[in-house]
Amino acid sequence: MKAMLVFLGAFIFGICVFILIKNGVEKDMTPSNSGKETLKLFNVTTKSYEEIPKMHKSESKWKETLSSEQFHVTRQSGTERAFNNEYWDYKENGVYKCVTCGTDLFLSETKFDSKTGWPSFWQPVAPENIGYHEDNQFGMRRVEVHCARCDSHLGHIFEDGPPPTGKRFCINSASLKFEKTSVVPIKNTKFEKATFAGGCFWCMQPPFDQVKGVQQTWVGYTGGHQDNPTYEEVCDGTTGHTEAIEVVYDPSEVSYEELLEVFWQNIDPTTLNQQFADKGTQYRTGIFYHNEEQQRLAEESKSKLGQSGRYSKPLVTEITEASIFFRAEEYHQKYYQKAPQHYKNYKYGSGRASYLEKMWGDKVDFK
Ligand SMILES: [Zn+2]
């Protein structure tokens, strides 16, 4: 009897080991788990950005879940027939999601009748949810549009759409899966961008991340002349770039003027090509405006602050039109969260914290 129990125990143990190994192997073979690349994508239901892993699958895996037409369109960049597809004339209220990965792509509020026979939209739910690629097939120069998460082909973008964007996203119904929702107010998806340079970019992310209405921030490089610069190249001071922060905000919740206040209260605007302990053009301060209104507000706030008597020296912060913003390497993003102690030591050690405390007192949160 005892021998029987031991045998039974060993048998069950063996099965468990087998299941564990099998699951482990299967997990490793699932490509979506092998890469750690994540994306910040906008979710219409939660009205916020969420960190989502990028999706990779083998051709055979895609074939298992898609119809032959869906596979042809999404994975082989095919085009379905005009006027003979599911959504070209569809008028329900809701959200159009990626048929392969479920990412929110377009809202019914931005759909319009383009007379082309394909569903057409003038704007995606958020710029981050869509990717672009130059397409020179059939001797035409077009811009292909795909899902940012799973790279599924969606269609093309053209510059002959209606206001307010003038864009026409010409999308295959086979790439989409419609989900009926109650009204999704479009104002929540009309975000704007603000770009500021305030010296070491690690220190510029916490103050903006705390502002209600700020959806997302990235640190990076702008104002220079070299494409895709690395941190080391920017630090050498030869690329012309300055360390900067890009802020995506909802103007219905926070105004550009309020963002300007946050900016001024976190920098020393009186030192040229220097910010506290850091010296060089890569640490110059600047406001990079995205439209005339931002330019006007930036110039107004600078002259008001200059005349306020708060500073004994003139303000040297530059105000220039925004150019390409290159996102910095991942380890610099939200550095204050990744290395909180080192970040704090740096903020105090560089002299920034004590300067801001002296200038602005309790207005500044020294996180
Ligand atoms: Zn997708």
Side-chain angles (χ1 to χ4, degrees):
M1 185 63 189
K2 205 176 171 190
M4 182 75 173
L5 278 176
V6 169
F7 174 74
L8 199 66
F11 181 66
I12 292 169
F13 177 76
I15 288 180
C16 289
V17 169
F18 174 71
I19 289 171
L20 276 174
I21 290 172
K22 188 170 172 285
N23 282 348
V25 169
E26 270 186 357
K27 220 172 182 181
D28 286 340
M29 281 168 67
T30 309
S32 58
N33 286 317
S34 61
K36 287 211 173 75
E37 193 186 347
T38 59
L39 301 163
K40 290 266 161 102
L41 298 177
F42 190 74
N43 182 318
V44 168
T45 314
T46 61
K47 297 194 180 93
S48 63
Y49 280 89
E50 290 175 357
E51 200 146 331
I52 312 250
K54 197 159 164 77
M55 186 184 271
H56 305 279
K57 275 190 196 179
S58 65
E59 196 164 304
S60 59
K61 283 268 180 208
W62 284 123
K63 270 190 175 152
E64 281 173 21
T65 50
L66 300 171
S67 72
S68 58
E69 180 164 45
Q70 286 168 344
F71 182 82
H72 174 60
V73 170
T74 60
R75 309 314 303 180
Q76 299 177 317
S77 301
T79 300
E80 67 194 10
R81 288 176 59 190
F83 301 102
N84 189 13
N85 56 73
E86 203 172 351
Y87 299 127
W88 76 274
D89 199 22
Y90 199 71
K91 294 189 175 75
E92 291 289 334
N93 279 331
V95 54
Y96 292 84
K97 294 167 175 263
C98 173
V99 75
T100 58
C101 77
T103 295
D104 294 338
L105 297 174
F106 300 96
L107 294 175
S108 52
E109 285 94 326
T110 63
K111 195 169 186 282
F112 67 98
D113 182 10
S114 61
K115 320 270 183 222
T116 59
W118 286 289
S120 303
F121 306 87
W122 47 262
Q123 172 178 280
V125 302
E128 290 80 3
N129 292 25
I130 298 270
Y132 301 93
H133 181 71
E134 197 175 303
D135 174 4
N136 292 313
Q137 263 192 93
F138 311 115
M140 286 182 283
R141 201 158 162 252
R142 298 183 297 172
V143 178
E144 186 260 0
V145 181
H146 56 264
C147 170
R149 185 180 180 209
C150 70
D151 296 324
S152 279
H153 171 72
L154 303 173
H156 291 87
I157 180 175
F158 301 94
E159 299 297 322
D160 56 7
T165 63
K167 310 274 183 207
R168 170 168 61 96
F169 288 84
C170 183
I171 307 298
N172 289 280
S173 289
S175 305
L176 301 172
K177 183 173 62 185
F178 177 79
E179 202 177 282
K180 207 170 171 172
T181 55
S182 51
V183 184
V184 184
I186 194 161
K187 76 177 181 67
N188 283 304
T189 62
K190 268 177 131 183
F191 300 138
E192 287 183 20
K193 248 184 218 173
T195 311
F196 303 108
C200 172
F201 50 23
W202 293 346
C203 297
M204 295 306 287
Q205 216 163 7
F208 285 103
D209 279 354
Q210 294 170 45
V211 176
K212 188 175 176 281
V214 166
Q215 303 291 325
Q216 185 57 275
T217 61
W218 283 279
V219 297
Y221 318 108
T222 197
H225 46 74
Q226 186 187 313
D227 281 351
N228 303 309
T230 65
Y231 181 65
E232 287 70 26
E233 287 168 337
V234 173
C235 281
D236 281 346
T238 53
T239 67
H241 290 296
T242 180
E243 290 193 11
I245 176 165
E246 188 173 74
V247 178
V248 177
Y249 65 101
D250 182 343
S252 71
E253 285 193 64
V254 60
S255 67
Y256 189 65
E257 289 103 310
E258 289 171 284
L259 296 178
L260 285 167
E261 270 182 41
V262 174
F263 170 68
W264 292 119
Q265 289 178 19
N266 279 280
I267 65 158
D268 176 358
T270 66
T271 48
L272 189 66
N273 296 329
Q274 177 182 350
Q275 208 48 194
F276 311 105
D278 298 315
K279 292 182 181 140
T281 55
Q282 69 273 30
Y283 296 110
R284 68 187 186 272
T285 58
I287 300 171
F288 301 91
Y289 57 84
H290 291 265
N291 53 51
E292 281 178 17
E293 175 75 353
Q294 285 191 354
Q295 179 185 12
R296 185 181 65 77
L297 293 168
E299 280 164 359
E300 264 179 31
S301 75
K302 183 181 171 182
S303 83
K304 242 195 222 167
L305 190 63
Q307 289 159 14
S308 68
R310 189 178 284 274
Y311 299 98
S312 54
K313 287 186 276 180
L315 309 195
V316 295
T317 299
E318 70 178 67
I319 299 177
T320 36
E321 191 175 0
S323 54
I324 303 182
F325 179 90
F326 297 99
R327 282 185 199 167
E329 296 79 351
E330 176 51 35
Y331 72 95
H332 289 298
Q333 305 295 339
K334 315 260 181 201
Y335 188 78
Y336 69 100
Q337 291 172 356
K338 289 189 172 108
Q341 195 52 50
H342 187 235
Y343 163 72
K344 215 170 174 183
N345 293 347
Y346 174 80
K347 184 162 180 179
Y348 280 85
S350 66
R352 186 189 289 261
S354 56
Y355 172 85
L356 299 181
E357 203 164 0
K358 188 183 84 192
M359 293 304 291
W360 297 97
D362 56 6
K363 276 194 174 179
V364 178
D365 182 351
F366 296 98
K367 190 174 169 185

